[in-house]
């Protein structure tokens, strides 16, 4: 691990933890309004001890993460999936989706879900690009890169048009296969779709909390936010939830996840946390996991 990051963790825990945790209680944003969640059974909670979190072998083995549990896709985030979208064109999107469904493979299922998600927003993305391109015309302006990007998006759009309604309806099922199979980021993507987009109660899904807890302990900062700030984490102890919130707040002050953590912290709402209740060793484990996941994970959300 980068020596500078180790120093950053030590400094953050020693000097900033108190202010960071207290800052959660005075933050000006309202809590996100996901549906109320009843505490699930103990069998559904999954791993609750921070010390038992699995270790990430390497960044190459870490699967790309999902979209934030409190944010909609942006054009910047969408461009990060371009490699997958182009690769799937070799087979055709329809065949790619069917192959993933038949395989029941967690990673392939997550990739197929990403394609379906990209296709849902491709029309809006093209409309924004065309509007931007029209505003960039005139002498001295070089629009070649913008025009090339627009052509790529239009190619994606044509492939998306080959998908059937039945294939498009498999989005949540594909995410479930990926999340239950342990693909990092799939659980928080599924949670976002159910709780935020569809406005349904995720407590009805027996594996949801356990998968979010597993991914949070592996460094999925969107899962950390959900467990620390949203009602889905109500079944966890308050000490655990405060520890998640502290890690989120400290991550927002520096390190590779700073920009993303800062954005998620805006949705954390108001909490009256006790500094004494926070497990600093658990916070350090979470921060280390976030760093291990690294920039590649965040950029492939």
């Amino acid at each position: 691990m980068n020596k500078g990051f180790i120093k950053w963790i030590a400094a953050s825990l020693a000097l900033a933890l108190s202010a960071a945790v207290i800052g959660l209680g005075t933050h000006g944003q309202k809590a996100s309004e996901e549906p109320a969640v009843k505490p699930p059974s103990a069998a559904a909670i999954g791993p609750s001890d921070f010390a038992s979190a699995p270790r990430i072998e390497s960044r190459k083995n870490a699967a790309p993460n999902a979209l934030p549990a409190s944010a909609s896709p942006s054009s910047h985030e969408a461009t990060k999936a371009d490699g997958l979208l182009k690769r799937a064109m070799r087979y055709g999107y329809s065949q790619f989706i069917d192959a993933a469904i038949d395989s029941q493979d967690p990673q392939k299922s997550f990739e197929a879900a990403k394609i379906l998600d990209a296709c849902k927003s491709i029309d809006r993305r093209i409309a924004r690009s065309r509007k931007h391109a029209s505003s960039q015309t005139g002498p001295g302006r070089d629009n070649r890169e913008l025009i090339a990007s627009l052509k790529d998006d239009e190619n994606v759009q044509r492939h998306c048009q080959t998908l059937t309604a039945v294939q498009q309806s498999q989005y949540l099922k594909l995410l479930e296969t990926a999340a239950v199979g342990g693909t990092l980021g799939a659980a928080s993507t599924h949670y976002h779709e159910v709780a935020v987009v569809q406005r349904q109660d995720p407590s009805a899904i027996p594996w949801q909390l356990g998968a979010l807890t597993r991914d949070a302990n592996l460094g999925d900062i969107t899962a950390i936010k959900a467990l620390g700030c949203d009602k889905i984490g109500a079944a966890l102890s308050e000490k655990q939830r405060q520890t998640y919130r502290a890690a989120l707040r400290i991550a927002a002050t520096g390190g590779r996840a700073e920009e993303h953590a800062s954005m998620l912290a805006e949705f954390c709402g108001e909490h009256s946390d006790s500094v004494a209740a926070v497990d600093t060793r658990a916070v350090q484990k979470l921060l280390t996991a976030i760093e291990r996941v690294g920039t590649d994970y965040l950029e492939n959300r």
Side-chain angles (χ1 to χ4, degrees):
M1 183 184 301
N2 185 282
K3 294 182 179 179
F5 178 71
I6 296 176
K7 293 180 180 179
W8 171 74
I9 289 180
S12 296
L13 291 173
L15 303 177
L17 182 57
S18 177
V21 177
I22 293 173
L24 287 171
T26 58
H27 210 279
Q29 298 291 333
K30 294 182 180 180
S32 55
E33 299 177 355
E34 68 285 352
V37 178
K38 297 178 182 178
S41 64
I45 293 176
S48 59
D49 183 359
F50 292 113
S52 67
R55 295 176 63 87
I56 295 178
E57 295 297 330
S58 69
R59 289 180 188 168
K60 290 183 179 179
N61 293 331
N65 192 17
L67 295 171
S70 299
S72 59
S74 67
S75 58
H76 173 71
E77 289 165 341
T79 60
K80 299 302 181 182
D82 282 354
L84 168 63
L85 295 174
K86 291 180 180 179
R87 174 163 53 87
M89 288 178 187
R90 303 172 192 168
Y91 313 95
Y93 286 1
S94 183
Q95 290 84 351
F96 191 94
I97 300 298
D98 283 344
I101 294 172
D102 292 342
S103 73
Q104 293 294 298
D105 178 80
Q107 181 60 34
K108 291 179 180 178
S109 295
F110 196 27
E111 291 179 342
K114 286 185 175 185
I115 290 175
L116 292 178
D117 187 60
C119 286
K120 287 191 295 184
S121 61
I122 190 63
D123 291 345
R124 294 191 301 272
R125 178 174 168 177
I126 289 176
R128 287 194 302 266
S129 296
R130 286 174 176 167
K131 183 178 180 180
H132 181 61
S134 65
S135 68
Q136 298 299 311
T137 58
R141 293 185 181 273
D142 186 353
N143 291 334
R144 286 176 295 180
E145 184 175 347
L146 182 60
I147 293 173
S149 178
L150 181 57
K151 288 182 177 179
D152 286 342
D153 287 344
E154 290 172 342
N155 194 20
V156 170
Q157 184 183 49
R158 286 190 291 272
H159 279 78
C160 288
Q161 290 168 350
T162 67
L163 298 174
T164 67
V166 173
Q167 289 171 326
Q168 293 170 357
S169 71
Q170 298 302 302
Y171 181 60
L172 276 179
K173 182 61 179 176
L174 287 164
L175 286 176
E176 178 180 348
T177 300
V180 173
T183 302
L184 186 62
S188 55
T189 309
H190 189 282
Y191 170 77
H192 173 269
E193 180 68 19
V194 172
V196 180
V197 177
Q198 299 185 5
R199 310 297 291 176
Q200 296 180 10
D201 186 350
S203 68
I205 303 170
W207 54 265
Q208 184 78 82
L209 182 57
L212 282 174
T213 305
R214 176 201 64 215
D215 284 5
N217 293 340
L218 285 170
D220 181 351
I221 203 162
T222 61
I224 289 173
K225 181 266 173 187
L227 295 177
C229 308
D230 297 350
K231 294 177 182 178
I232 185 68
L236 303 179
S237 71
E238 186 56 27
K239 181 176 181 179
Q240 287 174 309
R241 300 198 73 193
Q242 290 184 13
T243 302
Y244 283 129
R245 291 195 290 268
L248 173 66
R249 193 63 178 168
I250 292 175
T253 66
R256 302 185 181 196
E258 178 177 358
E259 181 179 354
H260 192 66
S262 180
M263 180 274 292
L264 289 176
E266 293 292 318
F267 292 88
C268 196
E270 298 180 0
H271 300 277
S272 299
D273 290 335
S274 168
V275 175
V278 176
D279 185 340
T280 56
R281 293 182 64 184
V283 172
Q284 181 169 335
K285 284 181 177 290
L286 288 171
L287 293 171
T288 302
I290 292 170
E291 174 68 7
R292 280 177 181 163
V293 166
T295 306
D296 292 342
Y297 170 81
L298 293 172
E299 289 185 347
N300 280 282
R301 304 186 62 81

